[in-house]
Amino acid sequence: VIVSESVDVLIIGGGIAGASAAAELRAVGHTGSTLLVTRELEEPYERPPVTKGLLLGTTRREDTRVHPAEWWSENRIELRTRASVLALDPTQRVATLASKETIQFGKAILATGATVRRLQVDGAQLEGIHYLRAPGNAEALRADIAEAQHVTVIGGSYIGCEVAASLAAMGKRCTVLMQEDTPLERGFGPTVGAWVASQLTDRGVEVIGGITVDSFAGDTRVSVVLTNAGYRTETDAVVLGIGALPDVTLARKAGLLIGDTGGILCSRELETSAPGIYAAGDACEYESVLHGTKVRIEHHEHAAAQGRTAARNIAGIPSDHTEVPYFWTDLADWATLEYVGVSPVWDEEQIHGSLDSGNFIVRYSLAGRLVGALACGVPDELDIARAELATAVLS
Ligand SMILES: Cc1cc2nc3c(=O)[nH]c(=O)nc-3n(C[C@H](O)[C@H](O)[C@H](O)COP(=O)(O)OP(=O)(O)OC[C@H]3O[C@@H](n4cnc5c(N)ncnc54)[C@H](O)[C@@H]3O)c2cc1C
């Protein structure tokens, strides 16, 4: 192989995980040459505003950048956008780009993220059906529904709830269709689910649970959503938020091990099955000391924290990834829910404060031990729960 370029550290993927890894390398004093390659058309940006400010039109695209434009050269990180890594040889430590250039690296971080899960049903190719992952998707949806009266949102998880809230705030009539009975109940349980449903219905959103979408109908553009329960709704547009799939195409092709959740299998230190190659973010499935098992987590702050852990290990500072997973979700400007936790299952829920007042914390326990907490309007109590989770599990 003729090598076009040689770097100490190669970061593949320009999301929050890759961009945070680059920053941490410099923060801990790593001075080696570093190249970040991403297939995105633009420099690394944050995704959370896609369903919030970018959709509402209150956030400008420039404000979603992870680092200011000049940051990259100031920190001597070479950034290459519109560049896809097509192959990775973990033994020779060579990456091949779509442009056919080859890059020799000392160590690498795979931060390839996730892609939206698409609904494969009749009519799925009709116009007016949207998925949200990148800023351009929010802009396309905004433009497409400028004249729309009624938008149908499919999925009752974070994306679905956030989009429904944003659409309601934009004055659109909106229907949420979901398989679960109440929104967000898979993560937070039916009590919080019922509260989220009331937040939405109080603002005019129609929320219908227990429904699976069967097909879409329309001429060239979607005009009807049909479901298993015989429910049929006329619509001007559809937004789907039915989950994401880890992007492990490159890792799989390189022969790296893939875990049970479909992520790139990593150690406690986020090293993949190939020595010197790390993974971070939505694509990473790691042996979590805190969870006591292998997990893959799809949240902004967690992806950033994993990027930092991978960078520290590369810089020669041995670090297990022990950050307590945290995330937030916004319902327009009505409510921000914040969660910390280490288990998707629990057998007891304790509510402090009142759901009606919008200031509460729900503490989730399993076998008498705190495993998670969801807070709305009480950040101090969330911090207490976070500290409790970190010490209880690691001690
Ligand atoms: C609409 C939306 C709203 C969200 N809101 C929230 C929120 O409110 N709170 C929260 O906690 N989390 C939220 N999340 C989740 C959070 O954004 C993700 O967890 C985070 O973006 C993951 O970062 P990442 O760097 O792992 O992956 P990504 O952001 O997916 O970045 C991966 C990058 O790798 C690139 N890439 C992949 N393969 C290659 C290759 N072979 N060659 C070159 N480049 C490649 C991709 O193009 C992409 O740029 C939201 C997600 C979405 C989609």
Side-chain angles (χ1 to χ4, degrees), residues 14 32 35 43-44 77 80 103 127 129 131 143 146 192 194 209 212 216 256 260-261 265 298 316 320 350 381 388:
L35 167 66
E43 53 197 76
I77 308 278
R80 209 171 296 168
I103 295 163
E127 285 168 25
I129 298 178
Y131 291 86
V192 172
T212 298
F216 301 109
L256 304 185
D260 294 338
T261 68
L265 195 62
E298 289 174 3
D320 285 353
Q350 277 180 343
E381 294 198 34
E388 234 176 288

Side-chain angles (χ1 to χ4, degrees), residues 268 286 288-290 309 312 319-325 390 394:
R268 289 150 56 146
Y286 73 112
S288 168
V289 183
L290 279 178
T309 302
R312 279 196 296 277
S319 315
D320 285 353
H321 186 70
T322 53
E323 177 107 352
V324 178
L394 287 178

Side-chain angles (χ1 to χ4, degrees), residues 12-17 37-40 47-48 50-52 83-85 111-114 132-133 159 162 247 250 281-282 298-300 303 327-328:
I12 303 169
I16 186 69
V37 244
T38 181
R39 71 160 76 101
E40 299 280 328
R47 297 191 189 278
V50 169
T51 39
K52 309 173 186 79
S84 241
V85 178
T112 49
L132 292 176
R133 188 140 183 108
I159 301 280
E162 291 191 355
D247 189 340
L250 179 65
D282 285 5
E298 289 174 3
H299 294 304
H300 181 88
F327 70 87
W328 82 99

Side-chain angles (χ1 to χ4, degrees), residues 116-379:
V116 290
R117 195 164 86 75
R118 292 182 177 269
L119 190 64
Q120 311 285 358
V121 295
D122 285 350
Q125 76 299 337
L126 287 167
E127 285 168 25
I129 298 178
H130 296 263
Y131 291 86
L132 292 176
R133 188 140 183 108
N137 303 139
E139 287 159 8
L141 175 61
R142 258 181 83 74
D144 193 44
I145 61 171
E147 307 294 320
Q149 302 293 318
H150 182 213
V151 183
T152 304
V153 176
I154 297 166
S157 194
Y158 315 107
I159 301 280
C161 291
E162 291 191 355
V163 170
S166 296
L167 292 174
M170 290 161 75
K172 300 292 172 191
R173 190 159 78 78
C174 178
T175 301
V176 177
L177 303 177
M178 62 195 163
Q179 291 178 324
E180 52 273 51
D181 291 332
T182 57
L184 301 184
E185 72 173 31
R186 289 182 183 160
F188 305 146
T191 311
V192 172
W195 178 80
V196 174
S198 72
Q199 292 295 302
L200 292 168
T201 51
D202 285 355
R203 272 95 174 176
V205 177
E206 186 182 21
V207 179
I208 305 177
I211 273 203
T212 298
V213 170
D214 266 351
S215 62
F216 301 109
D219 202 355
T220 52
R221 187 180 172 88
V222 65
S223 57
V224 181
V225 182
L226 297 140
T227 76
N228 65 332
Y231 181 87
R232 177 195 152 89
T233 181
E234 311 267 318
T235 196
D236 297 323
V238 168
V239 185
L240 284 125
I242 56 167
L245 299 170
D247 189 340
V248 295
T249 321
L250 179 65
R252 197 189 290 279
K253 203 170 147 198
L256 304 185
L257 292 181
I258 303 299
D260 294 338
T261 68
I264 305 166
L265 195 62
C266 290
S267 67
R268 289 150 56 146
E269 292 158 332
L270 309 187
E271 192 167 26
T272 67
S273 54
I277 301 182
Y278 293 77
D282 285 5
C284 169
E285 176 175 333
Y286 73 112
E287 182 68 52
S288 168
V289 183
L290 279 178
H291 295 78
T293 182
K294 296 186 187 70
V295 290
R296 192 176 69 76
I297 292 167
E298 289 174 3
H299 294 304
H300 181 88
E301 297 290 340
H302 194 258
Q306 282 198 326
R308 293 194 292 269
T309 302
R312 279 196 296 277
N313 283 302
I314 283 182
I317 308 164
S319 315
D320 285 353
H321 186 70
T322 53
E323 177 107 352
V324 178
Y326 158 88
F327 70 87
W328 82 99
T329 181
D330 292 334
L331 298 174
D333 59 1
W334 325 323
T336 294
L337 293 170
E338 292 182 285
Y339 176 87
V340 284
V342 295
S343 170
V345 289
W346 63 91
D347 56 22
E348 195 196 331
E349 260 175 48
Q350 277 180 343
I351 299 172
H352 302 268
S354 89
L355 293 170
D356 287 343
S357 73
N359 291 313
F360 61 86
I361 183 163
V362 186
R363 291 168 58 94
Y364 302 92
S365 308
L366 182 64
R369 207 184 74 190
L370 184 72
V371 292
L374 174 75
C376 185
V378 290

